[in-house]
């Protein structure tokens, strides 16, 4: 990456966090080389780099904005099915609600690029009577669930971008702007 950056006309990072992390680690990385450390290039890369945040097509979610009112509150999880999204905490809370007899519906959207944490399989069995959707949702369905959700939850250990939460917030704010109850 370093050599590519030196030869690039423009260096772009997708967040200031990533930019700072890379540039702050670069001097230590270069000091591992016995010669030709090129430490002076760090400042040049820093001056010539910029942040271009991840783009979101929030207006594309508008097509599902006319969903009907729900009889029960809909709780939405719209994260990747990975350990860093902390699904154990989410499902612990949801299982507590179910055990206490709180009425709700549940939509668990997302996908996993590896074997998902075991809690997903366990929770699917235990929460089956509350589930209206489980797994990856195509765009139209996903948009509808975002607009229908009473509550969207993130228990992520960290959020670099929080795209799914920004999508949910957009739909919630637009619903409030249109006078729909949530």
């Amino acid at each position: 990456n370093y050599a590519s950056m030196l030869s690039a006309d423009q260096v772009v990072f997708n967040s200031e966090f990533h930019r700072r992390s890379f540039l702050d680690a670069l001097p230590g990385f270069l000091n591992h080389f016995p010669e030709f450390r090129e430490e002076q290039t760090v400042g040049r890369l820093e001056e010539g780099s910029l942040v271009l945040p991840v783009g979101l097509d929030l207006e594309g979610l508008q097509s599902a904005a006319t969903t009907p009112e729900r009889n029960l509150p809909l709780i939405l999880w719209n994260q990747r099915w990975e350990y860093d999204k902390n699904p154990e905490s989410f499902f612990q809370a949801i299982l507590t609600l179910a055990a206490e007899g709180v009425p709700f519906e549940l939509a668990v959207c997302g996908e996993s690029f590896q074997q998902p944490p075991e809690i997903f399989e366990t929770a699917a069995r235990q929460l089956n009577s509350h589930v209206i959707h489980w797994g990856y949702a195509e765009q139209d369905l996903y948009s509808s669930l975002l607009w229908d959700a009473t509550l969207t939850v993130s228990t992520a250990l960290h959020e670099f971008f929080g795209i799914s939460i920004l999508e949910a917030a957009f739909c919630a704010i637009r619903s409030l702007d249109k006078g729909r109850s949530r």
Side-chain angles (χ1 to χ4, degrees):
N1 287 341
Y2 169 68
S4 295
M5 291 170 73
L6 287 175
S7 64
D9 292 330
Q10 182 67 62
V11 176
V12 179
F13 292 86
N14 55 17
S15 74
E16 182 61 26
F17 174 86
H18 288 109
R19 181 178 174 274
R20 281 280 32 108
S21 295
F22 184 87
L23 294 170
D24 290 349
L26 199 51
F29 171 75
L30 294 174
N31 282 329
H32 285 256
F33 294 99
E35 54 187 26
F36 304 111
R37 292 187 177 134
E38 303 295 326
E39 293 165 331
Q40 74 281 1
T41 63
V42 176
R44 191 176 91 213
L45 289 175
E46 186 167 10
E47 289 173 13
S49 65
L50 61 94
V51 174
L52 182 62
V54 175
L56 296 175
D57 178 17
L58 296 174
E59 294 298 325
L61 299 171
Q62 290 283 81
S63 64
T66 59
T67 57
E69 294 291 322
R70 304 197 74 78
N71 293 327
L72 294 173
L74 174 61
I75 300 171
L76 174 65
W77 163 282
N78 63 337
Q79 313 282 313
R80 282 181 291 105
W81 291 18
E82 305 291 342
Y83 77 94
D84 64 324
K85 297 302 180 182
N86 195 12
E88 290 81 6
S89 290
F90 172 74
F91 287 119
Q92 180 181 14
I94 299 302
L95 288 166
T96 299
L97 290 176
E100 292 178 1
V102 175
F104 66 90
E105 293 179 318
L106 178 64
V108 179
C109 299
E111 58 186 326
S112 183
F113 301 102
Q114 300 175 8
Q115 180 65 31
E118 189 176 307
I119 188 66
F120 284 94
E121 186 177 323
T122 303
R125 284 192 313 272
Q126 294 177 343
L127 295 166
N128 187 47
S129 64
H130 296 278
V131 172
I132 65 164
H133 179 80
W134 195 271
Y136 181 79
E138 295 294 336
Q139 187 61 44
D140 288 346
L141 174 59
Y142 177 66
S143 295
S144 293
L145 291 170
L146 285 170
W147 284 99
D148 284 354
T150 308
L151 176 68
T152 302
V153 179
S154 172
T155 51
L157 299 173
H158 60 81
E159 289 281 7
F160 283 123
F161 307 110
I163 292 171
S164 61
I165 297 304
L166 290 174
E167 291 170 336
F170 171 82
C171 293
I173 291 167
R174 285 293 170 95
S175 289
L176 292 173
D177 288 347
K178 292 180 181 182
R180 290 183 55 209
S181 62
R182 295 290 287 184

